[in-house]
């Protein structure tokens, strides 16, 4: 009985997260707000020629650490093969994205709003 309730709650949570992601994506497309998904940002950092990459091996697991500075934006990415473990994006010492695979339940395809860097703060 308890297992069935847990499965139901998990399915409901996933459905709500997906609905939230879809609504957020629609809002951003209508308002033309600059946004990108965690997966898109990670791909950008991994494939950028200016990214500094460090690879380390721990107990048979290969982890890659990426750092990239682009103007006011600073990117930090940790991966285990194709899996994104951590992604941080900072702008002017403000956190824009702080994704953790162990904590965040949102999809990697949920859009993240980026600040307008042309506005004075």
């Amino acid at each position: 009985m308890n297992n069935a309730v847990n499965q139901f709650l998990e399915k409901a949570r996933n459905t709500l997260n997906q609905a939230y992601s879809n609504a957020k994506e629609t809002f951003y497309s209508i308002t033309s707000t600059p946004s990108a998904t965690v997966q898109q940002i990670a791909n950008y950092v991994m494939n950028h020629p200016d990214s500094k990459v460090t690879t380390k091996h721990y107990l048979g697991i290969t982890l890659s650490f990426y750092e990239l500075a682009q103007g006011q934006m600073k990117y930090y990415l940790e991966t285990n093969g194709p899996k994104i473990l951590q992604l941080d994006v900072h702008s002017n010492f403000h956190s824009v994205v702080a994704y953790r695979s162990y904590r965040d339940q949102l999809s990697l395809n949920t859009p993240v709003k980026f600040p307008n860097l042309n506005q004075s703060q």
Side-chain angles (χ1 to χ4, degrees), residues 4-42:
V5 171
N6 287 340
Q7 287 177 345
F8 173 77
L9 290 175
E10 183 66 25
K11 188 171 183 175
R13 185 178 304 119
N14 289 339
T15 302
L16 284 173
N17 283 338
Q18 186 62 42
Y20 172 73
S21 297
N22 290 341
K24 195 172 181 182
E25 185 173 349
T26 301
F27 172 76
Y28 289 154
S29 68
I30 290 170
T31 61
S32 299
T33 303
S35 64
T37 66
V38 170
Q39 185 67 58
Q40 289 171 328
I41 298 166

Side-chain angles (χ1 to χ4, degrees), residues 30-62:
I30 290 170
T31 61
S32 299
T33 303
S35 64
T37 66
V38 170
Q39 185 67 58
Q40 289 171 328
I41 298 166
N43 289 341
Y44 172 76
V45 173
M46 286 188 282
N47 296 312
H48 199 282
D50 294 336
S51 289
K52 295 176 185 162
V53 184
T54 304
T55 303
K56 297 193 178 187
H57 305 282
Y58 297 108
L59 300 172
I61 298 171
T62 302

